[in-house]
Amino acid sequence: MSAPLLADSIPELAREIEGLLVEQGEHRLAAQVARLRIVDRCRCGDPFCATFYTAPRPQGSWGAGHRNIELACKTGMLTLDVVNENVTCVEVLFRDEIRQKLHEVLP
């Protein structure tokens, strides 16, 4: 079974990320949002974490070609991990509604 699409699973978050990327001039990354898949979620257990991976987790750091993009969201925190201009992780913090939906998609 393939990993679920973010746009199908949590469409409001997909729209928010896409819009914020466009606002920040990250048009190439914004174009990726429609096809991002939720490969896995963070399993740290922190009650405020709703981070998920759109590529397999690395052993250690993301390595060369990695950068972070902090998105100017209105609630909580959204940070993207980007490797070689591909979104690999969406760090979502302090967004209980997203955490709940993410846990429904990937228990």
Side-chain angles (χ1 to χ4, degrees), residues 47-87:
F48 55 84
C49 181
T51 297
F52 59 92
Y53 299 91
T54 58
R57 289 176 68 174
Q59 298 287 355
S61 71
W62 289 106
H66 173 260
R67 68 182 175 121
N68 288 103
I69 299 174
E70 290 187 36
L71 299 177
C73 58
K74 292 182 180 170
T75 59
M77 295 175 61
L78 282 174
T79 305
L80 303 183
D81 286 283
V82 177
V83 178
N84 298 323
E85 295 310 302
N86 291 300
V87 177

Side-chain angles (χ1 to χ4, degrees), residues 1-100:
M1 184 169 106
S2 67
L5 284 169
L6 172 62
D8 291 342
S9 303
I10 314 173
E12 65 278 12
L13 181 62
R15 287 189 300 271
E16 179 181 6
I17 291 169
E18 185 175 12
L20 291 169
L21 285 168
V22 168
E23 284 178 17
Q24 291 181 217
E26 297 282 357
H27 300 282
R28 292 179 116 182
L29 295 177
Q32 293 178 29
V33 174
R35 59 183 190 274
L36 290 178
R37 294 194 175 273
I38 303 173
V39 173
D40 197 5
R41 66 175 175 83
C42 178
R43 303 201 183 259
C44 69
D46 287 336
F48 55 84
C49 181
T51 297
F52 59 92
Y53 299 91
T54 58
R57 289 176 68 174
Q59 298 287 355
S61 71
W62 289 106
H66 173 260
R67 68 182 175 121
N68 288 103
I69 299 174
E70 290 187 36
L71 299 177
C73 58
K74 292 182 180 170
T75 59
M77 295 175 61
L78 282 174
T79 305
L80 303 183
D81 286 283
V82 177
V83 178
N84 298 323
E85 295 310 302
N86 291 300
V87 177
T88 56
C89 180
V90 180
E91 297 178 54
V92 183
L93 302 176
F94 305 106
R95 300 281 297 266
D96 292 339
E97 76 285 1
I98 301 301
R99 185 174 190 275
Q100 180 179 359

